[in-house]
């Protein structure tokens, strides 16, 4: 074993960093850091240096020289940022490049009251907030598209399902609004994650702050954060902003995956309610009649993959010590970016599909009259208009449904005479029976708040149109703030 060890060490090295450590950890981590974190690191150097000058911890001319050096390094192209074994990571490489320009003594001053710990957490938050904001922005566009689609289908009835079985008539607009409301709650979860992320840990230093007279709030302001993570231990140790972000992705993609699956069912030839645009289907290589809605399938698969990225974040943080720990750092962060990236693909794909898809209103209406799904209205009419106790009305309605099934007839194929024979204790009018079997009447009578009645749905559409527009304005305001911060820091 000793000879085996000696041979390995001769190849791998005995001092830090070993060759294997470089190839399997430092190089991949450096690649991710240069890809995602470089710009955020530059922002932090600028903000911290500005604060040091304002606090009289460095002279004005020193600050100017430091910022000039930082600005020159910021112009390095990504391909110039290559791993060098002399430096452990991007942090030390950038520090060295700045020192080459302004001298080691002055470069050392810019790091007063600053650690890789608080810098790292701040960089992750700066990058993550933009990823989240982009996802909020695009999900908002999807939500507005759903509302626009609903406007065209207020009176288009369709069957609603419970336990995967035809249950009651509703409208496609009512169904689409339900999806939009669910989506809006997920946007709220993303906003909440954004708010948790958008706090500055700068000034926590390694973990206990510093004895230097810094101004943490000023750095937070310069970086565009909403405020500071007050407790310095919390600022360095917490992973809840990662969990909040990961779980908001899990919720969004899980909820979207459910109705994407519904869309696939509705787009099947057997159901035939939705037709995906030719732009988003593929033909079969052997079966010429096929229209494969692969855009929906890819969206479903990507949504599941994004859920996996979010749950990976949870798993990587689970049972880690409450403190500065690499488990929450460079190995974890790419899962967030991947999760957001996949979610964006799903959201954008589904927006395009929804804008261009068509709904078969005639087939939907036909299906809404089948499978006796208006029978609930018979029970309601008997109880409401004929004074039959509801449980008895329910029993009688169930009896009518069974008799109709035994005759292999739909409700609309029955005559009032047949129905009254089965009801025994009460006789309903022909006018009432025609209304009972009409899915449009069924829908219009559900005029309680939140129901599918056309006026109720139109009111919901109007209200939600404003809600989504307000959200769009909030997103634009947040983007404008971030862009202004970046310009002000240059």
């Amino acid at each position: 074993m000793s000879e085996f060890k000696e041979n390995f060490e001769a190849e791998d090295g005995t001092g830090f960093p070993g060759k294997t450590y470089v190839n399997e950890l430092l190089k991949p981590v450096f690649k991710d850091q240069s890809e995602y974190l470089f710009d955020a690191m530059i922002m932090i150097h600028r903000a911290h240096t500005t604060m040091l000058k304002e606090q009289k911890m460095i002279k004005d001319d020193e600050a100017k020289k430091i910022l000039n050096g930082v600005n020159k390094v910021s112009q390095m192209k990504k391909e110039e940022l290559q791993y060098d074994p002399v430096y452990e990571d991007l942090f030390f490489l950038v520090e060295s490049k700045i020192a080459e320009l302004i001298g080691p003594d002055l470069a050392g001053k810019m790091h007063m009251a600053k650690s890789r710990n608080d810098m790292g957490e701040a960089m992750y938050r700066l990058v993550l907030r933009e990823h989240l904001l982009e996802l909020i922005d695009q999900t908002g566009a999807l939500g507005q598209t759903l509302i626009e689609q609903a406007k065209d289908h207020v009176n288009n009835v369709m069957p609603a399902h419970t336990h995967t079985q035809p249950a009651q008539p509703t409208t496609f607009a009512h169904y689409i609004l339900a999806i939009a409301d669910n989506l809006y709650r997920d946007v709220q979860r993303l906003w909440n994650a954004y708010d948790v992320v958008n706090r500055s840990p700068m000034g926590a230093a390694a973990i206990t702050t510093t004895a230097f007279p810094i101004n943490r709030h000023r750095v937070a302001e310069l970086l565009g954060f909403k405020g500071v993570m007050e407790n310095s231990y919390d600022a360095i140790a917490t992973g809840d902003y990662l969990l909040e972000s990961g779980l908001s992705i899990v919720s969004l993609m899980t909820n979207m995956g459910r109705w994407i699956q519904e869309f696939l069912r509705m787009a099947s030839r057997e159901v035939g309610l939705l037709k995906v645009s030719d732009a988003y289907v593929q033909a079969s290589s052997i079966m010429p009649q096929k229209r494969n809605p692969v855009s929906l399938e890819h969206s479903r698969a990507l949504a599941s993959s994004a859920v996996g990225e979010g749950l990976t974040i949870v798993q990587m943080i689970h049972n880690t010590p409450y403190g500065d720990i690499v488990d929450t750092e460079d190995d974890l962060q790419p899962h967030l970016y991947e999760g957001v990236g996949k979610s964006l693909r799903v959201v954008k794909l589904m927006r395009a599909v929804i804008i261009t898809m068509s709904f078969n209103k005639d087939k939907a209406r036909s299906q809404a009259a089948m499978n006796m799904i208006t029978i609930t209205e018979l029970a309601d009419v008997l109880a409401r208009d004929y004074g039959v106790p509801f449980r008895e009305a329910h029993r009688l309605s169930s009896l009518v449904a069974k008799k109709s099934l035994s005759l292999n007839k739909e409700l609309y194929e029955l005559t009032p005479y047949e129905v009254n024979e089965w009801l025994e204790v009460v006789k309903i009018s022909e006018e009432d029976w025609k209304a009972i079997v009409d899915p449009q009447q069924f829908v219009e009578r559900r005029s309680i708040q939140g129901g599918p009645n056309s006026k109720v749905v139109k009111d919901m559409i109007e209200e939600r149109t404003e809600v989504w527009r307000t959200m769009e304005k909030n997103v634009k305001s947040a983007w404008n703030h971030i862009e202004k911060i970046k310009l002000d820091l240059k």
Side-chain angles (χ1 to χ4, degrees), residues 127-160:
V127 173
L128 183 53
R129 74 178 179 185
E130 292 194 26
H131 278 75
L132 288 172
L133 199 55
E134 174 68 10
L135 185 53
I136 292 168
D137 193 5
Q138 293 299 322
T139 307
L142 173 60
Q144 290 181 310
T145 298
L146 286 166
I147 300 300
E148 288 300 313
Q149 184 69 258
K151 290 177 182 178
D152 294 335
H153 300 288
V154 172
N155 294 304
N156 291 337
V157 292
M158 61 172 276

Side-chain angles (χ1 to χ4, degrees), residues 84-182:
D84 187 329
V86 174
Y87 312 106
E88 182 180 336
D89 58 14
L90 184 69
F91 176 88
F92 286 118
L93 174 66
V94 170
E95 179 181 317
S96 175
K97 294 295 183 184
I98 294 172
E100 288 174 11
L101 293 168
I102 65 175
D105 292 341
L106 195 53
K109 285 189 176 183
M110 67 180 283
H111 290 293
M112 287 189 294
K114 183 170 62 178
S115 165
R116 267 197 307 179
N117 290 11
D118 58 351
M119 270 193 71
E121 289 296 309
M123 287 188 295
Y124 299 146
R125 288 170 181 268
L126 287 171
V127 173
L128 183 53
R129 74 178 179 185
E130 292 194 26
H131 278 75
L132 288 172
L133 199 55
E134 174 68 10
L135 185 53
I136 292 168
D137 193 5
Q138 293 299 322
T139 307
L142 173 60
Q144 290 181 310
T145 298
L146 286 166
I147 300 300
E148 288 300 313
Q149 184 69 258
K151 290 177 182 178
D152 294 335
H153 300 288
V154 172
N155 294 304
N156 291 337
V157 292
M158 61 172 276
H161 291 70
T162 62
H163 304 281
T164 72
Q165 302 303 307
Q168 290 182 334
T170 187
T171 65
F172 193 49
H174 189 239
Y175 174 76
I176 289 292
L177 282 177
I179 291 172
D181 282 0
N182 199 162

